[in-house]
């Protein structure tokens, strides 16, 4: 356990939880506007309506704020993928690829700080458990589309498909609004083509 995690104060009551949530919302806004490196604890405290001392009680530095936000984002993403898993059996391959990227774009729009934190040096990497969970979720989606697909093949295909999806991130972050729409359309085509080949090959034996 890191020293930052050990020092971080845990809210004991609803009021404390609400205050911490306001601090995280403020941090997300400041990170999105200024970038992680330029963001300051003073600006985050002011945005949250808290004193700098109160902010430090909950988050000793902006690294702990960033890590807490990344944890929140990971949970949000997992919930979004769970909903996709439920609906996947009723979607065409094209519709599935569309939903995957629509899911990602919705996530980006709701979490504008995501890109500011994506390449920030936070002193840790996303846990293997989180990566494995996402791969397993998408593997389950693929097996719903083709029940004959072996689990190992589904996981391998999910890994490659997720790399295609992940490839959008750095391009999307730097593009204009008009270019973003075009990029998403191109990545949808790439994912559709890949999934059609893999799902058809599996069903053909």
């Amino acid at each position: 356990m890191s020293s930052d995690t050990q020092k971080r104060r845990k809210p004991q009551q609803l009021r404390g939880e609400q205050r911490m949530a306001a601090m995280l919302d403020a941090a997300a806004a400041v990170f999105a506007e200024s970038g992680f490196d330029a963001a300051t604890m003073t600006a985050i405290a002011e945005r949250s309506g808290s004193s700098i001392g109160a902010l430090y009680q909950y988050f000793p530095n902006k690294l702990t704020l960033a890590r807490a936000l990344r944890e929140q984002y990971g949970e949000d993403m997992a919930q979004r993928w769970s909903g996709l898993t439920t609906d996947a059996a009723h979607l065409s391959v094209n519709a599935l690829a569309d939903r995957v990227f629509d899911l990602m774009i919705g996530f980006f729009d709701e979490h504008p700080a995501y890109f500011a934190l994506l390449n920030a040096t936070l002193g840790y990497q996303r846990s293997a458990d989180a990566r494995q969970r996402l791969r397993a979720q998408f593997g389950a989606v693929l097996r719903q589309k083709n029940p004959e697909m072996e689990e190992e093949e589904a996981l391998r295909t999910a890994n490659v498909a997720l790399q295609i999806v992940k490839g959008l991130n750095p391009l999307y972050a730097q593009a204009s609004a008009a270019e973003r729409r075009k990029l998403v359309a191109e990545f949808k085509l790439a994912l559709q083509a890949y999934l059609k080949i893999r799902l058809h090959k599996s069903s053909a034996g």
Side-chain angles (χ1 to χ4, degrees):
M1 181 179 295
S2 70
S3 59
D4 287 342
T5 303
Q6 290 174 328
K7 293 177 182 177
R8 179 175 156 189
R9 177 180 172 184
K10 301 293 185 181
Q12 301 299 317
Q13 298 178 349
L14 177 60
R15 184 177 179 182
E17 291 177 357
Q18 292 172 336
R19 177 179 293 182
M20 188 172 73
M23 291 172 178
L24 287 171
D25 288 344
V30 173
F31 290 150
E33 292 170 5
S34 304
F36 176 75
D37 291 336
T40 66
M41 294 291 278
T42 299
I44 293 168
E46 290 176 354
R47 178 68 67 93
S48 70
S50 303
S51 69
I52 190 69
L55 178 61
Y56 278 122
Q57 283 186 329
Y58 287 95
F59 300 98
N61 51 51
K62 67 180 181 180
L63 277 174
T64 54
L65 280 161
R67 290 170 183 168
L69 284 171
R70 286 286 292 268
E71 289 173 7
Q72 281 190 356
Y73 294 170
E75 291 300 318
D76 183 12
M77 183 63 72
Q79 291 179 7
R80 291 169 189 254
W81 278 94
S82 295
L84 179 63
T85 303
T86 302
D87 298 339
H90 308 291
L91 299 174
S92 67
V93 173
N94 283 359
L96 174 61
D98 286 348
R99 280 282 298 276
V100 168
F101 280 104
D102 291 346
L103 177 156
M104 294 299 297
I105 301 311
F107 176 84
F108 296 156
D109 289 346
E110 290 183 29
H111 302 295
Y114 174 76
F115 289 120
L117 300 179
L118 187 61
N119 297 316
T121 303
L122 303 184
Y124 83 114
Q125 293 188 356
R126 190 180 178 195
S127 73
D129 286 346
R131 291 192 297 271
Q132 178 65 20
R133 178 173 59 180
L134 186 56
R135 185 176 72 148
Q137 284 179 308
F138 198 44
V141 166
L142 296 177
R143 295 189 75 189
Q144 282 199 45
K145 297 303 302 170
N146 183 356
E148 296 180 5
M149 180 177 275
E150 297 289 340
E151 182 176 4
E152 182 179 355
E153 181 183 4
L155 290 174
R156 186 185 308 112
T157 303
N159 243 354
V160 175
L162 289 170
Q163 287 301 313
I164 294 173
V165 175
K166 186 178 177 181
L168 173 66
N169 292 357
L171 298 177
Y172 191 92
Q174 299 172 12
S176 65
E179 182 63 17
R180 283 178 172 182
R181 290 193 295 271
K182 295 176 182 178
L183 284 170
V184 171
E186 294 297 314
F187 273 86
K188 284 183 177 181
L189 287 175
L191 185 59
Q192 288 168 2
Y194 175 67
L195 291 180
K196 285 178 181 178
I197 292 171
R198 297 307 301 149
L199 290 170
H200 175 73
K201 180 178 179 181
S202 178
S203 63

